[in-house]
Amino acid sequence: QLQLQESGPGLLKPSETLSLACTVSGDSVSNTNHCWGWIRQPPGKGLEWIGSFYYGGSSSYNPSLKSRVTKSVDTAKNQFSLKLSSVTAADTAVYYCVAIFGGYDAFDIWGQGTMVTVSS
Amino acid sequence: QPVLTQPPSASGTPGQRVTISCSGSNSNIEVNTVNWYQQLPGTAPKLLIYSNNLRPSGVPERFSGSKSGTSASLAISGLQSEDEADYYCASWDDSLDGPVFGGGTKLTVL
C-alpha cells in the first residue's frame, strides 16, 4: 500500500522560503501512472490545491501560487519536494502531500500532514 | 473564498439520513466529476466518493453521491456517531486548470 510522509521546518519567518519533502513508500515516485501533489489547509479553514504533477510529464499549479512554487523530484530518496518562496502569515497551514494512485481519478492517498507556521 | 459552495454545518440523529449539498458552476461541477472527502477530527482527509457516485474499496454503502447540473450532493444513511466529521466536495475546474474544493461542512451527530 502506498504511503506518504511529509517533512518540513515547522516554523519560519516572513519572506523566507518554505521547503517541504514528501517521502514515498510502497511504490516509486518515478512511476508515471501516479499523480503526485500538494494540498494545504489553513487552521480552521478548507482545503486548497497547490499543485500536482506526473513524473516526467505535465505539472499544474494553482494560479494564485504559481509564481512562488517550485517542485523537484529525488528518485534516489524516493521523494518529491515543494518550495514556496516569500512566505507570509497567509501561508500558515497544514501541508499535505497527496497522490492519485488507485485508479480513482481523485486524490486517494494523503500524508498525515505537517503544520507550517509563518511568524516573525 | 472557496470556489464550491457548501453549507457550513449539518446535523442529524443516529439512524437518520442526512444530505450535504455542493454548488458549483459551468466550469467545474457541470462539466467534470465530483469527489467527496471525509476529514475526521485531527486527521487527514480521506476519499469517500469519486466520479460523482462511486465508493472506493472499504467505504460503507450508506455513503452515496449524486450530481445534477452545477450541483452535487452527498447522502449518509443510517447515521452513526463515527460519521461526525468535516466533509468536502471537490471537482476539476477548467478555468483554474486544477481541482477546487468546497469550504467544508461540519456534520454533527446529535
Side-chain angles (χ1 to χ4, degrees):
Chain A
Q1 173 70 328
L2 185 73
Q3 291 185 312
L4 305 175
Q5 177 67 59
E6 305 89 348
S7 55
L11 177 67
L12 63 164
K13 295 181 180 350
S15 80
E16 292 183 335
T17 294
L18 167 63
S19 294
L20 293 170
C22 181
T23 300
V24 178
S25 58
D27 205 323
S28 171
V29 71
S30 59
N31 187 326
T32 57
N33 291 318
H34 307 322
C35 180
W36 312 100
W38 294 94
I39 289 171
R40 69 181 184 180
Q41 184 173 32
K45 296 188 177 181
L47 303 167
E48 179 182 36
W49 171 71
I50 299 172
S52 47
F53 69 97
Y54 287 87
Y55 180 80
S58 61
S59 299
S60 301
Y61 301 101
N62 190 320
S64 68
L65 299 169
K66 186 174 183 177
S67 63
R68 298 195 289 133
V69 171
T70 304
K71 73 105 168 89
S72 60
V73 178
D74 187 332
T75 55
K77 294 182 178 179
N78 212 29
Q79 284 181 345
F80 61 97
S81 297
L82 169 78
K83 288 187 188 296
L84 181 67
S85 64
S86 305
V87 297
T88 69
D91 295 310
T92 294
V94 175
Y95 285 74
Y96 296 100
C97 54
V98 296
I100 299 176
F101 174 74
Y104 297 124
D105 198 24
F107 294 117
D108 58 317
I109 305 294
W110 294 63
Q112 66 182 28
T114 186
M115 181 68 203
V116 174
T117 302
V118 180
S119 174
S120 56
Chain B
Q1 193 77 345
V3 174
L4 306 180
T5 301
Q6 298 179 237
S9 63
S11 63
T13 56
Q16 217 174 17
R17 181 178 188 272
V18 297
T19 61
I20 297 172
S21 62
C22 175
S23 178
S25 69
N26 57 14
S27 65
N28 43 65
I29 290 179
E30 186 170 50
V31 294
N32 295 299
T33 59
V34 177
N35 305 316
W36 289 90
Y37 295 88
Q38 177 194 56
Q39 186 174 32
L40 296 170
T43 69
K46 167 193 165 185
L47 180 63
L48 196 65
I49 296 288
Y50 70 100
S51 296
N52 302 327
N53 56 12
L54 301 179
R55 289 183 306 278
S57 175
V59 174
E61 291 183 4
R62 54 197 189 79
F63 291 93
S64 62
S66 64
K67 188 187 93 165
S68 178
T70 59
S71 296
S73 291
L74 171 71
I76 309 172
S77 59
L79 196 63
Q80 300 180 4
S81 58
E82 55 261 40
D83 299 332
E84 193 159 281
D86 294 326
Y87 293 85
Y88 293 90
C89 59
S91 182
W92 188 268
D93 190 284
D94 289 350
S95 298
L96 180 71
D97 195 25
V100 291
F101 292 89
T105 298
K106 183 176 184 62
L107 175 64
T108 301
V109 181
L110 302 170

